[in-house]
Amino acid sequence: MASRKSTQSADPREIIQWTRRYAQSRTIYFLIQWCLIVFVICIIGLVASLTQQAYTAGNKSLFYTSVVFLSITFFFFIWISVSRWTAEVVWQITLWFYGREGFVSPEENTRSKQLPRWVIALIGLMLVYHIFGAILISFRYLHLQYLQPFSAIILVPVLCVLIYYQGLGFWAWLWPVLYGLHAILLLAGIPISFPSPWFLLNIMVPIFGYGLIAILVGHVYSRYALWKLKTVTRQGLEIDNNEEIPEEK
Amino acid sequence: MAELDRLIHEPARLRILTILAGVEAADFNFLLNTLGLTKGNLSSHIDRLEKAGYVKVEKSFNGRVPHTEFQITPEGREALEEYWRQLDSIRNLGSKAEEKE
């Protein structure tokens, strides 16, 4: 064991910390899901727009065709959201991306095992709340411009609770924070909204845009955390790999 | 004073256990990539940790590719904590002796 030099110089707490930070910041899984959801939503948006144009132009055959296509796309969206096949495909792509780095799962966290019932109820309430918001808009009780702040009232706390219970890294908190800030800036009269006919982007862009920012920040941080982890771990670990490991006495 | 656990005192094994203490599970590639050991060397260290009951090994297949995952056991976690407690007390003794000098 001639080439084994100083041995225990790395602080173990640092190794544990950077391992945890790295494991919590592996966001490729979320990025693939994000791409998939945005892709399907874009298709739904395009078909919905086509349906509306066909209705306005009075083109009945195109209208009925696009309604059928819209229904198929909508059911496809529901199917990919709940199917095991999608989860498996996303997981396999994630493993392929991280192939060289290997697999690591964040520390077993009792919080993330199962969401409490009140959290599931809160998610249900959030959906009902947004449907209520859409009704308010359709009856002109609420202007589309205020849909994002209206949504932020419930989406921000729901996201915070979900992030807490899933034990995600700091990057995930960027999502509700940026979404909340966006709502405050809108209410303060800062001109950061899309004009007509792009009003719907005022809700879509903050939801998915800030989500993407958070995911990308997490990915960049995971590169840094891995570099730090390797540095800290290899400190004082100068072992000749060709050497045989002697038996302990 | 009790003796340090020599099995954990070995630097590579100490690092393997410390990494596993920070996560739920890690696979062979991750440990290989992080520690920079050869496959044979890592296997040998893991083998000893498994025999001591400090690490749990789970073998499976991802399609046709074999996949080996490792988890620290409660015994391993306890042994690691005890190791650091003992090392800290040795360090404290050393610093007290320096102060006296």
Side-chain angles (χ1 to χ4, degrees):
Chain A
M1 207 166 288
S3 59
R4 192 168 296 175
K5 292 183 182 173
S6 156
T7 52
Q8 318 296 16
S9 58
D11 186 339
R13 280 160 299 190
E14 272 197 83
I15 295 177
I16 292 177
Q17 265 177 11
W18 286 111
T19 311
R20 273 186 196 149
R21 285 172 186 167
Y22 167 71
Q24 287 177 335
S25 307
R26 284 164 53 111
T27 53
I28 292 286
Y29 181 77
F30 296 100
L31 185 63
I32 298 164
Q33 278 189 327
W34 185 94
C35 290
L36 196 68
I37 291 168
V38 168
F39 174 70
V40 178
I41 283 178
C42 283
I43 291 176
I44 291 175
L46 281 173
V47 178
S49 161
L50 184 72
T51 312
Q52 193 191 10
Q53 280 175 27
Y55 180 76
T56 316
N59 188 338
K60 280 190 176 179
S61 58
L62 182 63
F63 174 72
Y64 289 123
T65 311
S66 51
V67 165
V68 170
F69 198 65
L70 185 65
S71 313
I72 293 169
T73 329
F74 187 71
F75 280 111
F76 176 67
F77 180 64
I78 293 172
W79 181 74
I80 65 157
S81 306
V82 296
S83 84
R84 282 187 183 180
W85 180 84
T86 319
E88 183 59 30
V89 167
V90 172
W91 182 241
Q92 288 303 327
I93 299 171
T94 309
L95 286 181
W96 180 78
F97 267 104
Y98 286 120
R100 221 189 301 168
E101 282 171 35
F103 164 82
V104 64
S105 64
E107 195 175 21
E108 194 170 358
N109 190 338
T110 47
R111 279 180 288 160
S112 65
K113 281 266 175 183
Q114 201 175 8
L115 290 175
R117 280 185 184 176
W118 69 269
V119 175
I120 296 166
L122 195 64
I123 295 168
L125 181 71
M126 181 187 73
L127 294 175
V128 172
Y129 179 84
H130 279 91
I131 291 168
F132 178 64
I135 292 168
L136 286 180
I137 286 167
S138 62
F139 284 100
R140 297 177 192 274
Y141 287 117
L142 180 73
H143 194 270
L144 251 176
Q145 192 185 342
Y146 297 111
L147 182 59
Q148 197 276 334
F150 179 84
S151 155
I153 290 170
I154 195 157
L155 192 63
V156 170
V158 168
L159 282 175
C160 289
V161 168
L162 283 174
I163 292 165
Y164 172 77
Y165 275 102
Q166 290 188 336
L168 298 176
F170 84 95
W171 59 271
W173 295 95
L174 283 175
W175 194 358
V177 166
L178 290 174
Y179 198 73
L181 271 177
H182 188 98
I184 292 167
L185 291 176
L186 266 178
L187 290 174
I190 308 292
I192 49 169
S193 55
F194 289 91
S196 177
W198 308 104
F199 266 130
L200 208 58
L201 291 180
N202 286 320
I203 187 90
M204 302 306 277
V205 170
I207 284 182
F208 293 107
Y210 294 137
L212 182 63
I213 289 171
I215 289 168
L216 293 179
V217 167
H219 181 68
V220 171
Y221 186 71
S222 77
R223 303 302 87 203
Y224 174 70
L226 183 61
W227 173 75
K228 280 293 287 183
L229 174 63
K230 281 183 182 176
T231 311
V232 176
T233 307
R234 292 178 187 186
Q235 259 173 28
L237 191 68
E238 295 171 36
I239 300 168
D240 184 350
N241 273 318
N242 295 320
E243 258 184 326
E244 273 190 30
I245 302 160
E247 282 299 321
E248 302 290 342
K249 286 178 183 173
Chain B
M1 184 183 296
E3 260 191 52
L4 283 172
D5 187 336
R6 289 181 62 83
L7 191 89
I8 300 180
H9 190 59
E10 203 290 328
R13 285 198 285 273
L14 176 64
R15 280 156 177 80
I16 292 168
L17 270 191
T18 313
I19 288 172
L20 292 177
V23 290
E24 186 193 347
D27 75 352
F28 193 82
N29 271 354
F30 177 72
L31 292 177
L32 199 67
N33 181 47
T34 310
L35 291 156
L37 299 170
T38 60
K39 286 182 180 177
N41 212 337
L42 178 60
S43 295
S44 173
H45 287 305
I46 288 282
D47 194 40
R48 289 204 193 149
L49 289 169
E50 190 192 9
K51 276 178 187 162
Y54 292 167
V55 165
K56 195 174 97 179
V57 181
E58 211 171 293
K59 292 183 180 181
S60 61
F61 279 89
N62 268 338
R64 288 181 181 179
V65 185
H67 183 249
T68 314
E69 235 176 78
F70 308 105
Q71 267 185 304
I72 190 167
T73 60
E75 293 80 22
R77 203 175 284 278
E78 204 176 298
L80 188 66
E81 279 167 14
E82 181 58 28
Y83 172 83
W84 286 115
R85 262 197 298 273
Q86 287 177 354
L87 206 66
D88 280 344
S89 59
I90 292 169
R91 278 178 185 157
N92 287 341
L93 276 177
S95 55
K96 276 178 189 170
E98 273 176 20
E99 278 171 19
K100 278 183 184 175
E101 279 175 13

